[in-house]
Amino acid sequence: MIKYLIEKEFKQIRRNAVIPRMVMGMTFMMIVILPWAADFEIKNIHISVVDKDHSTVSSRLIRKIESSGYFKLVQVTNSTQEAMPLVEANQSDLILEIAPDFEKTLIREGVADVMIQANAVNNTKGGLGSSYLTQILGDFATEIRSEWSQTSGVVTPSVQVVSQNRFNPHLNYKVFMVPGLMAMLLTMLGGFLPALNIVGEKEKGTIEQINVTPVGKFTFILAKLIPYWAMLFVVLTLAFVLAYLVYGLVPVGHYGTAYLMAGVYVFAITGLGLLVSNFSSTMQQAMFVMYFFVVLLLLMSGLFTPITSMPQWAQNITLFNPMRYFIQAIRMIFLKGSGLHELTTQLGALSLFALFFNSLAIISYRKNS
């Protein structure tokens, strides 16, 4: 009996031309387009420089800031009053003020002050811009000190720090985001499609033809899950191909481990979709309820905001979010090459979620016999 039910689901998906187009469109958008937008690196920060010194050292500092790749020089002026209107008009994000006699003070005392004023309406841009500029000023001071010590023949002690980045050596943000967006893709499709499928049959009345048959609730739910489970495996494969073709990104770990974790997660998220459909009477109602859960899962998963940066009460809530464990697993597989022995916590948690949601979906399904 289950064979014919699964065959019926596949035929229904194939006849609905919207589903294949939506699946292909969402996969392309999430993997190819969204990583370019979901980039938390702040670049092209507009800066105004108030140079009251007009010395060789101040000119060199301005050139170093401009060549860093993070800042765009808007203007170089002589007074703060001339630079402030650009900040008020949102045409400048930072003002760097170089004091008079900057070079003389630096030579005579070894220390000279500059002032940074940040437009903190956008606190993220203002904070990161100030941090970038502070780091550039520190590097510039180190360069000047090193050059002057060589000129004077006096060797000053210095500590050289060489950074070695593990797992993402070039600090490419897309390497970090693409695996997470794969999890987002499976969550959106795996949550919405099964829920809308059952509710759509409720609205059309065709589900009553199955309810009066001797098909058990377990068989019915399983027949609903398997086609979408298979379809989402195809979606994941397509996402792997696009990640390789567009970004040259391949998992350091084994593909089999990624498919196993994805299979358990998809089983859990489709179970949640079926559970929502059992308590929904219309497609609009199912969409609103699923949208509420999906937004909550995304925001509390660590996809955009690190879980360790959340307050402790929010971190405790994320323990009940299956998407958290799958994002951790897929990123560990892609970036670290983790195997099953390192993913036992994530695999165990996802298995419990899959068992919980699907058990509730079976129990809550109301079948008229």
Side-chain angles (χ1 to χ4, degrees), residues 323-338:
M323 192 176 179
R324 164 194 171 151
Y325 299 99
F326 181 59
I327 288 179
Q328 288 177 347
I330 198 71
R331 280 176 172 165
M332 289 171 68
I333 294 168
F334 264 82
L335 299 175
K336 297 183 179 181
S338 300

Side-chain angles (χ1 to χ4, degrees), residues 293-326:
F293 282 112
V294 166
V295 170
L296 190 62
L297 293 177
L298 289 175
L299 294 179
M300 304 296 291
S301 66
L303 176 61
F304 299 108
T305 304
I307 293 176
T308 52
S309 300
M310 299 178 184
Q312 188 59 47
W313 62 267
Q315 294 185 38
N316 295 335
I317 293 176
T318 64
L319 296 174
F320 303 95
N321 184 357
M323 192 176 179
R324 164 194 171 151
Y325 299 99
F326 181 59

Side-chain angles (χ1 to χ4, degrees), residues 233-258:
F233 266 101
V234 176
V235 169
L236 184 62
T237 303
L238 180 60
F240 286 155
V241 173
L242 289 174
Y244 172 72
L245 294 178
V246 179
Y247 310 106
L249 182 61
V250 294
V252 180
H254 200 278
Y255 277 107
T257 309

